[in-house]
Amino acid sequence: MLRPRTAEDTARLVREAAARASAGDTPHAPLHPVSTGRNWGLGSASPVHDGTALLDLSALDRIREIDTDRGYAVVEPGVTQGALAERLADSPRVLNLTGASQHTSIIGNMLERGVGLRRGRAEDLAGLELVLADGTTARTGWWPDPAQGTVVQPHGRGPSLNHLFTQSSLAVVTAAVVRLLPRPETVRVLPMTFPESALDRAVDLLREWTAQELVPATTKIYDPLAARVYGVHDRYLAHLCLTGAPDLVELRALLLHRRATATGSPFSPAPGSAADRYVHRAYTGLPDPDDTLFLRKTGHCAHCLDAARGLLMFLPLVPFRGQAVRRAAEMVRSSLQGRTAPPGITMNVLDADTVDHVVTFGFPPEDPAAVADAHRTLDRLHTAFAAEGLHPYRPDVDHPLAPHGPLHRRLAEALDPDGVFARGRF
Ligand SMILES: Cc1cc2nc3c(=O)[nH]c(=O)nc-3n(C[C@H](O)[C@H](O)[C@H](O)COP(=O)(O)OP(=O)(O)OC[C@H]3O[C@@H](n4cnc5c(N)ncnc54)[C@H](O)[C@@H]3O)c2cc1C
């Protein structure tokens, strides 16, 4: 394990690895970079193959700059979402938090193209500072210019390179420009429940409301197992988040209430406890030093989860259609192997056409039979969903992506011909 403290240290370590790799006579350990390594359910900090050197960047933890006027922060890999949210607490800007722990890395999650509560994390990325495989440094996208107050423009000018380095193993990221959202005047999360028997109809209605902009594309839907975290039993729960000017939020909430309680609607408004102040704080981008929601979801703190509990995740993209969501739930049920307990499913609406599914199942790590059952279940999920053309948007260490096409290969050969970086899941 290598643990640099600065971007310069990191470049030196990469140069040393590059020298070993190009010498070619002795086997070298390719570098596997992680930011905080809390990629739970997909392998955490583990590499895909043995024999790699873990490049742990968590000690690069400086917030280099915050500009709440133009709406960006420059952060290093070890900066956690809790740390930046804390710094922004009284400012006119907010960070797009994810539902993971406050102790996860902003850069790690953006490089995964993770899902935030307000939008996909890929949309938060404006610029990257990189160490390439030969140890040289480079920048992509947009970076602040001290001499000019230019507008944040993530694609930069000319060919847009940021996303060559997300879900990729072609460089080490030592800093990034993260876009910050304007702080909304009001945030209101409406909890609504519906029975399993109305799944198709409820999902189709939510889709219609999203397509017609009655609600933004940020709704989360919890199946009856996942909904227990919010005190809802035996029903699906949806969190509909409204943000913006207070009168607009009020009007939209009224409209939604009217539609949800109309004759024939599958929805019932749920009590406020089903979207309590911690849920509101998360959507508002406010820090929670106690990691309350994460503790409720996992039963463990961020520092103990890996040792305490086996956890696997399967993250397929599913059409935002009632029938497709029902079919996905059936496939999850029929994929269970041995004693694997039924998983909770959280669905994140990404747009009017797509809802990503987070299928999470735990197992006791000390019981080899339970471990084997859980991994067989994960294999079955991959096979069953792939047969219907539904692929995970992020792979896990046991199911890395199949080899890429010729253009990807040419880029990889040009950028890292000696295999300084471990090829990993991507
Ligand atoms: C209860 C629970 C809720 C969750 N909710 C969410 C959620 O709402 N949204 C979501 O997206 N995820 C969620 N997750 C999954 C996961 O915990 C997060 O995605 C987490 O942010 C990833 O871990 P990390 O930030 O430590 O990134 P890391 O593990 O450090 O990095 C992830 C990957 O990115 C690459 N990488 C990281 N840093 C670098 C670097 N500096 N240079 C080059 N490559 C790098 C590596 O491939 C690495 O494996 C949840 C997990 C749990 C258990």
Side-chain angles (χ1 to χ4, degrees):
M1 185 195 281
L2 304 165
R3 202 154 186 271
R5 304 199 72 81
T6 62
E8 294 71 34
D9 266 0
T10 311
R12 179 182 50 79
L13 290 170
V14 174
R15 277 197 300 276
E16 287 171 11
R20 284 193 298 274
S22 67
D25 42 0
T26 48
H28 73 282
L31 302 173
H32 169 59
V34 296
S35 289
T36 45
R38 300 202 163 110
N39 207 8
W40 293 298
L42 303 178
S44 296
S46 310
V48 170
H49 300 291
D50 288 342
T52 64
L54 184 71
L55 184 61
D56 172 358
L57 296 155
S58 58
L60 276 71
D61 60 358
R62 277 191 317 133
I63 298 174
R64 293 188 192 167
E65 187 183 341
I66 294 179
D67 186 327
T68 56
D69 192 26
R70 282 190 282 169
Y72 69 84
V74 179
V75 298
E76 296 186 346
V79 174
T80 61
Q81 50 173 356
L84 185 57
E86 185 76 50
R87 284 280 298 275
L88 294 169
D90 296 317
S91 81
R93 294 279 175 173
V94 297
L95 173 65
N96 171 29
L97 290 174
T98 70
S101 160
Q102 300 267 314
H103 300 283
T104 53
S105 159
I106 299 162
I107 287 186
N109 188 267
M110 282 196 313
L111 295 180
E112 284 282 305
R113 301 205 287 263
V115 174
L117 292 167
R118 301 283 303 281
R119 62 185 181 192
R121 269 286 178 84
E123 289 181 53
D124 296 336
L125 173 60
L128 291 173
E129 177 185 276
L130 307 162
V131 179
L132 300 172
D134 59 2
T136 59
T137 56
R139 283 181 171 180
T140 61
W142 181 89
W143 279 79
D145 175 348
Q148 290 179 327
T150 57
V151 174
V152 182
Q153 220 267 54
H155 296 301
R157 286 188 288 178
S160 178
L161 292 180
N162 280 341
H163 291 283
L164 184 55
F165 300 97
T166 61
Q167 294 211 352
S168 134
S169 320
L170 298 177
V172 182
V173 173
T174 50
V177 185
V178 187
R179 301 172 76 193
L180 305 172
L181 292 160
R183 182 175 296 285
E185 283 177 42
T186 315
V187 174
R188 187 148 165 209
V189 183
L190 305 178
M192 294 194 187
T193 67
F194 54 90
E196 202 275 338
S197 58
L199 178 60
D200 305 37
R201 227 155 28 92
V203 169
D204 283 335
L205 260 183
L206 285 173
R207 193 229 169 219
E208 201 178 300
W209 293 353
T210 310
Q212 298 312 318
E213 299 181 12
L214 199 57
V215 286
T218 54
T219 301
K220 275 182 179 273
I221 310 167
Y222 301 91
D223 83 343
L225 270 172
R228 286 186 195 167
V229 167
Y230 302 95
V232 170
H233 294 275
D234 303 323
R235 285 172 78 85
Y236 277 77
L237 168 69
H239 280 163
L240 283 65
C241 177
L242 305 176
T243 58
D247 44 357
L248 184 64
V249 168
E250 185 60 34
L251 278 174
R252 277 184 163 183
L254 263 173
L255 261 175
L256 284 167
H257 185 83
R258 200 178 298 157
R259 293 202 183 195
T261 51
T263 316
S265 157
F267 295 106
S268 309
S273 56
D276 66 10
R277 68 191 175 97
Y278 294 103
V279 173
H280 278 83
R281 284 182 69 87
Y283 280 94
T284 313
L286 288 170
D288 174 13
D290 298 326
D291 235 355
T292 312
L293 288 177
F294 183 76
L295 274 172
R296 271 191 216 159
K297 287 181 207 167
T298 64
H300 299 280
C301 76
H303 307 282
C304 10
L305 181 60
D306 272 327
R309 190 173 171 209
L311 194 68
L312 291 175
M313 281 186 189
F314 178 62
L315 308 170
L317 293 176
V318 174
F320 193 1
R321 302 279 176 190
Q323 218 183 2
V325 169
R326 176 176 291 287
R327 173 78 188 127
E330 281 163 10
M331 282 196 283
V332 169
R333 269 195 299 276
S334 62
S335 297
L336 294 181
Q337 296 289 296
R339 288 176 299 147
T340 305
I345 308 176
T346 299
M347 290 150 264
N348 301 307
V349 171
L350 299 184
D351 56 36
D353 293 312
T354 319
V355 57
D356 93 45
H357 280 45
V358 182
V359 182
T360 309
F361 44 108
F363 55 88
E366 67 285 354
D367 177 349
V371 174
D373 284 345
H375 282 273
R376 281 197 301 131
T377 300
L378 184 61
D379 291 341
R380 283 276 295 247
L381 285 168
H382 277 272
T383 311
F385 278 72
E388 305 206 0
L390 305 178
H391 298 282
Y393 81 95
R394 280 158 71 181
D396 60 82
V397 282
D398 289 328
H399 303 87
L401 292 186
H404 298 301
L407 177 58
H408 279 108
R409 274 205 301 278
R410 279 170 64 186
L411 288 166
E413 278 157 21
L415 285 170
D416 185 9
D418 297 321
V420 173
F421 300 121
R423 277 290 159 257
R425 291 167 295 133
F426 308 111

